[in-house]
Amino acid sequence: MTARVDERLERAFDKRTATALGKLGLATVGDLLGHYPRRYADPGALTDIAALEVGEHVTILARVEQATVRPMRNRQGALMEVVVTDGSSRLSLTFFGKHRGSLYNHEKRLVPGAKGLFTGTVGLYRGTRQLTHPDFTLMGEESDLDSDEALLEHATKPIPIYPAAAGIPSWKVQGALRVVLDTLTDPDVPDPVPDEVLQRQGLPPRAAALRSLHRPATMEEAYRARHRMRFEEAFVLQAALAQRRARTAAEDATARPPLPAGKASLLADFDASLPFVLTDGQRAVGDEIAVELASPRPMHRLLQGEVGSGKTVVALRAMLQVVDAGGQAALLAPTEVLAAQHARTLRALLGPMADAGTLFGAERTGVSTRVALLTGSLGAKARKEALLQAASGEAGIVVGTHALLSEHVQFADLGLVVVDEQHRFGVEQRDALRAKGRVSPHLLVMTATPIPRTVAMTVFGDLETSSLTEVPAGRAGITTVAVPAGNTRWTDRTWARVREEVDAGRRAYVVCARIHPDEETKAAAKDFDDVPEFLDQTGPGAEGAERPPLRAVLEVVEELRSRPELAGIEVGVLHGQMPPDQKESAMARFASGEAPVLVSTTVVEVGVDVPEATAMVIFDADRFGISQLHQLRGRVGRGTDPGLCLLVSDAEPGTPAFARLEAMTQTTDGFKLANLDLELRSEGDVLGAAQSGRASSLRLLRVVKDAGLIEEARTAAADVVRASPDLTEFPELAKAIHAQLDEDQEEFLERA
Ligand code: ADP
Ligand code: MG
């Protein structure tokens, strides 16, 4: 017997209704049941009309105050104008008819005192807000879908308000659901949450929860139902992650134990050549990783750490252990600039150790290797060479961007995959790279944006977590100052400060939000060297016309080259549209001090490491998100000299944008800033940026607010997966996980 929820809507309803519901993306009875109310209207309280915004699609509960019909002035036909009210504000509804008679029905129904739901898009006509030809349903009337009792008859029950579309107003969805719910029995609705879990959590079965969600007698009942559905979301997600963990734990991996002390090894040589001592944290996490790499089970670890806490060194040491043991390591970086920098750092640190036998296929001696760099825009020759070095095993370390994921890339013996700045990659990409090993390679994922524990649990829930909490000693700290834009005194002072830094042998970044002065903001965003979202479009005036245009790299660089304060100083340029060799040379000239001032886009945001850089000027700072500013700022003050970060903006005090900048000036604690950021951002942004796909399956769950619930779900899910690892005992849960993975997969393919 197929479950009732799989029934197509065309079978359950007449064609017209099914087609209308189809406009909302609903195909089956199950889809309809999963179309949750966006909110509930209190039948005793009319909707606050003053709060409605022009352009918004709304469903409001209001009372008719007056209604008039008159012939049209300029053309044939009649016009009916109805004024509805919430008791204080008014909204006008207009209906046109071919002639007065065609409005007769409306005239009869929309009489003063009539109360009902009205839906449409709020428009503006001569300064008055109005709905044109709104759909409506009135209390005490029969709905066209329902013959027994009117939808709004029970004036005490909350009225569910559904996401609607033209031709399918909220109450039609409600009517369709009523038909389904009236005949729905508990067994009709399979429940992915096992009975014993429901009992332990004190939650109702799925069918009951759906009934309460769509037809609550009280708001409490609706809240309880939402809680139960939220738990289900968390539970299914956590079960999927628990299965992933269990599967990985059962995989075979090649053990890559460290070489015994005294034996010539890359790792030992590297450690000896480090110009600093490792922090206690780096040592502890390093030991943890070393042990896991030595095990025949794949490591699956997330390394979280504040910007500048020294994650890269930890990753390099892990890679060298694997190379020492005869394997290869791949380092996946989110941008070309970062990939090139990692390759450069590695080669510099390894020195002669990175010059292994230049003969193709030469045997590795155990104390030298090669570092290959593979990015999307390499020339054919360089690319071929890098591919050969990876495939032959000549390169013990292969650094690259997502170009590493291409099917042409092969490894002789891939033992470790390191993903730097993970928030830019999805699970699928991680897996694509791991699939290149003969047996499962070990995995180390690094993320610099400190993320709250519950986000880690949700997004990286299949990984074990290590954290670097301290930054290396001897850092002098960063001072952050908000600078008003367009103030000459401040501007002069800013460049004078930059001059001072340069004269003292240090470097300064100047960051702009876009490349070309005459380019649309959004067009520029796309060019940022595969940085997906860089501007905070939610900020006030993100599209604003009254604000001065965003400063652009190409304009600012010209300005700086002619500023008296910077006379004689070479000013470099870096942005995502430059060819890779130019990008690399710009970075190199900046790092060496040849061009100690660098005007760039956010390509320097992640991971770029120039210890001599002490100053950063960020233009239009209010247009960036907090975590992004934090990342950017993390580029300076990485050495022993104090850092200075100037946030230039014209944000007005009292605005959220200003609040963000203020927060930046007050703390450098990434965790505090991350939490604040979460408060200011929508969930979709958080998960969407963190990992492709996941956001789609979370509809009610809020990773920060629902922290406790996620913890409970995680524990419950782990128990269930332990009891039945392949979930044969819980077929409905298995089905729900599959459905969710399919959805994620689809989303991923769409983005690719
Ligand atoms: P992140 O965690 O942001 O990736 P990096 O690994 O880039 O940080 O390290 C930041 C800077 O600190 C680099 O210049 C690195 O060489 C330096 N560094 C790393 N570990 C230490 C340490 N133990 N002592 C001093 N400096 C260190
Ligand atoms: Mg880094």
Side-chain angles (χ1 to χ4, degrees), residues 535-544 547 622-623 656-657 660:
L535 272 185
D536 183 9
Q537 302 286 0
T538 60
E543 310 286 344
R547 300 184 40 157
D622 54 303
R623 307 297 272 282
R660 284 201 295 264

Side-chain angles (χ1 to χ4, degrees), residues 226 230 233 454 458 682-684 687 695 698-710:
R226 283 171 73 88
R230 218 176 265 147
E233 281 178 19
T454 47
T458 307
S682 79
E683 205 74 5
L687 292 175
L698 301 184
R699 292 189 298 155
L700 296 174
L701 198 65
R702 295 291 170 259
V703 285
V704 179
K705 269 206 305 240
D706 297 327
L709 185 93
I710 294 174

Side-chain angles (χ1 to χ4, degrees), residues 191-192 727-737:
D191 195 338
L727 297 180
T728 37
E729 286 174 45
F730 306 102
E732 292 307 333
L733 176 56
K735 240 172 89 183
I737 290 175

Side-chain angles (χ1 to χ4, degrees), residues 380-397:
K381 187 163 163 281
R383 177 178 160 77
K384 201 169 155 202
E385 195 178 308
L387 287 175
L388 273 175
Q389 288 185 358
S392 66
E394 194 186 343
I397 296 177

